[in-house]
Amino acid sequence: MPNVLTRGTRRIGDFIDGDANTPEVKVTLERSDRGIGINISWSSPDSPYAGWFLGSRRLEIGAGGQPKTITPLPKRVIFHDSHGPVLLIRCWTQGFHANALGPGSGNLWAHAAVLGVGELKEFDRPHGLQTEISGLREWLGITSWAEEDRWLEGRTEYTLKSKAQPSIVIGAHSGVALEFRPGWGLKPAGADDERVLMDLLRCTTVSSTPLDWEDHLQVHRAIRDLLVVSRWWDESVVEVRAHRDDDPLTTMDGATHGDQWREVVVVNDERKPPPKGYRQHLITYSELGVTGLQSWLKLRDEFARAFDPVISSIDLRNTTAHTRLAHTGPGLEALGYLLLVRDGISEKKAAQSSLRERLERILMDLGTCLPFDGPTWVDRTVAVYNGIKHANRQAPDYVDVANTWRESVLAVRAWIAIELGVPAADVESRLGDDPQSAPLVRRSS
């Protein structure tokens, strides 16, 4: 078995935490639906490992009648077996079982596993991170395969060739250099006579100094958010590789040969499936280009308080329309407020503006591109949103709430498209075919 960590994998090997005072121990590394974790055992509460789990529950007294020092839980640990090393990063403990003054075992969990790393390097602060963002390759219109078929001597000859594609360099943002790296892959399928060809696109951030994992991910998620805004489809961001400058590609003679990107396994690696059938983008890469993407990243930072509640509402599954609108409403209020401030109004005066004034300010930038009447949307949103917030007002009808949430999200999406330079006529035309433009209607009894 190669050094892999697919779901359902269970491996037994050595445990390394970098502390010479901790004893050697065999542990079990497992990846399951619960996450990526190590089960570690101890024979008595005196064990340093027990202290990671028992904490203040330990009743130990050291020399001189003083409590023993509990060894702190390391942020990084290594698992090693015959298949190779696995570095577990951003670790925490949760769940244990122990007898009083006797043996026990506990679970040490990790946010991510870095395959092939046998030293306690700070991969929780990498210099580089690569992710796969669903829908990004198709949106960019890039493929690393060339297809050709021709009729030859009574038969059809089909040719599929890999081809090199240049990276799309976006530039510096938030302390990292951002680019999109196309590529291709080949892996075996379930049967021995099957192979899977992969058309890959890696979103890559690289920094001159190591950054926290989340600092890298913020930029990747910003790209994902643009795709969500564009066609209102839930997209995924999955970390797949990481790099550190102190972990170069090294041959057996000790010579280094440039950067080495390590395979990464994260707890949530679910890839969102593409929509069934054709679903048009409101914002196209051909319109934005590199300059437009740079503008989006700046806009995303400037209007984070407005965009976050709206974009994240797509992920509120199995909930009511009231919850979605209550979640999205603060984003609408923030967008209107930020626009008033950008117009030159003082923060104090903008903060005192009513919900109606904020919505009307948003509408000023949209003109007539919305697939519904703008002033009517303002009236209904004010009435419905305030009806949800204030118990002394009449509770709004469920269908009205659902339509208000739908139209409000659509208004924010349209505003972003206009702000990024998409012509208003194109926004109006595309929204006419957007599934979110279809109103919900009451079912006749």
Side-chain angles (χ1 to χ4, degrees):
M1 184 179 75
N3 191 8
V4 296
L5 201 57
T6 55
R7 203 175 299 272
T9 298
R10 198 166 186 266
R11 295 161 57 176
I12 299 175
D14 296 321
F15 181 75
I16 303 168
D17 64 356
D19 187 345
N21 295 319
T22 54
E24 294 185 3
V25 64
K26 292 290 185 181
V27 298
T28 301
L29 171 65
E30 184 173 8
R31 185 186 176 199
S32 65
D33 291 338
R34 296 178 60 196
I36 301 170
I38 281 179
N39 183 266
I40 185 169
S41 302
W42 58 87
S43 57
S44 74
D46 292 336
S47 168
Y49 303 130
W52 297 349
F53 298 88
L54 301 180
S56 60
R57 301 177 185 87
R58 298 171 72 185
L59 302 177
E60 298 177 322
I61 299 296
Q66 297 298 318
K68 288 187 178 180
T69 301
I70 297 176
T71 305
L73 175 72
K75 296 179 180 179
R76 297 168 293 276
V77 299
I78 295 172
F79 169 89
H80 200 296
D81 65 2
S82 59
H83 303 293
V86 178
L87 174 66
L88 302 179
I89 60 175
R90 303 163 70 198
C91 298
W92 79 97
T93 58
Q94 184 176 29
F96 73 93
H97 182 272
N99 293 329
L101 305 179
S105 64
N107 296 318
L108 185 151
W109 301 95
H111 283 90
V114 189
L115 305 180
V117 178
E119 299 180 57
L120 291 167
K121 298 183 180 295
E122 292 186 76
F123 268 90
D124 44 317
R125 289 178 53 82
H127 289 85
L129 188 67
Q130 291 185 347
T131 63
E132 292 178 358
I133 302 176
S134 61
L136 179 58
R137 185 187 63 80
E138 292 84 355
W139 184 70
L140 295 171
I142 294 177
T143 179
S144 296
W145 296 97
E147 302 179 47
E148 179 183 341
D149 60 85
R150 60 176 179 167
W151 181 256
L152 183 66
E153 298 179 356
R155 62 185 176 83
T156 300
E157 182 180 85
Y158 184 80
T159 304
L160 183 65
K161 293 183 178 179
S162 63
K163 59 180 182 180
Q165 291 279 18
S167 296
I168 299 176
V169 179
I170 307 303
H173 182 77
S174 296
V176 301
L178 172 65
E179 63 181 68
F180 303 140
R181 298 183 182 180
W184 60 274
L186 172 66
K187 67 178 182 179
D192 292 338
D193 57 351
E194 293 180 352
R195 299 293 184 271
V196 175
L197 303 178
M198 296 177 291
D199 211 349
L200 303 174
L201 195 288
R202 299 274 168 77
C203 181
T204 304
T205 52
V206 177
S207 62
S208 58
T209 58
L211 294 177
D212 284 343
W213 196 274
E214 287 298 321
D215 290 337
H216 281 278
L217 271 183
Q218 282 183 7
V219 180
H220 295 252
R221 289 171 181 149
I223 299 299
R224 177 260 182 190
D225 287 349
L226 178 60
L227 298 178
V228 173
V229 167
S230 182
R231 64 176 175 177
W232 201 244
W233 186 261
D234 197 8
E235 306 288 2
S236 57
V237 179
V238 178
E239 304 98 295
V240 292
R241 287 182 177 179
H243 156 72
R244 275 191 59 89
D245 287 352
D246 59 359
D247 181 48
L249 186 61
T250 306
T251 51
M252 294 184 66
D253 59 1
T256 59
H257 302 273
D259 295 343
Q260 178 169 215
W261 287 88
R262 297 287 193 173
E263 298 292 330
V264 168
V265 179
V266 293
V267 174
N268 182 15
D269 63 349
E270 178 188 0
R271 271 73 167 175
K272 299 295 184 182
K276 296 180 180 178
Y278 176 70
R279 194 181 185 97
Q280 185 181 27
H281 276 280
L282 178 60
I283 305 165
T284 66
Y285 176 67
S286 60
E287 291 167 322
L288 293 190
V290 171
T291 302
L293 278 171
Q294 292 171 342
S295 298
W296 161 250
L297 292 172
K298 294 176 182 176
L299 188 71
R300 183 68 180 81
D301 289 345
E302 182 182 358
F303 288 87
R305 290 287 297 271
F307 296 164
D308 282 343
V310 176
I311 295 172
S312 60
S313 71
I314 194 174
D315 200 34
L316 295 178
R317 302 181 183 89
N318 302 319
T319 190
T320 65
H322 292 70
T323 300
R324 280 186 159 177
L325 183 58
H327 187 86
T328 302
L332 290 172
E333 295 188 80
L335 179 56
Y337 164 81
L338 292 170
L339 290 177
L340 291 171
V341 172
R342 193 165 74 170
D343 290 342
I345 297 175
S346 68
E347 293 184 357
K348 180 178 180 180
K349 187 174 181 181
Q352 294 171 346
S353 61
S354 66
L355 175 61
R356 177 178 296 276
E357 290 172 325
R358 300 185 189 198
L359 297 180
E360 288 175 344
R361 176 59 190 85
I362 297 171
L363 196 60
M364 282 176 55
D365 292 343
L366 296 176
T368 60
C369 73
L370 295 174
F372 47 81
D373 182 67
T376 302
W377 165 68
V378 172
D379 292 340
R380 179 166 54 246
T381 302
V382 170
V384 172
Y385 185 51
N386 283 329
I388 291 176
K389 288 177 61 178
H390 303 289
N392 61 325
R393 303 195 184 190
Q394 182 176 355
D397 178 80
Y398 186 88
V399 174
D400 287 340
V401 175
N403 277 321
T404 300
W405 171 78
R406 175 186 59 82
E407 291 177 351
S408 297
V409 171
L410 203 64
V412 174
R413 292 175 59 208
W415 184 88
I416 292 173
I418 295 291
E419 185 74 10
L420 291 178
V422 181
D426 291 337
V427 173
E428 182 177 3
S429 174
R430 293 168 192 171
L431 288 182
D433 297 327
D434 195 295
Q436 202 173 41
S437 295
L440 300 173
V441 296
R442 295 176 179 82
R443 181 180 298 175
S444 57
S445 56

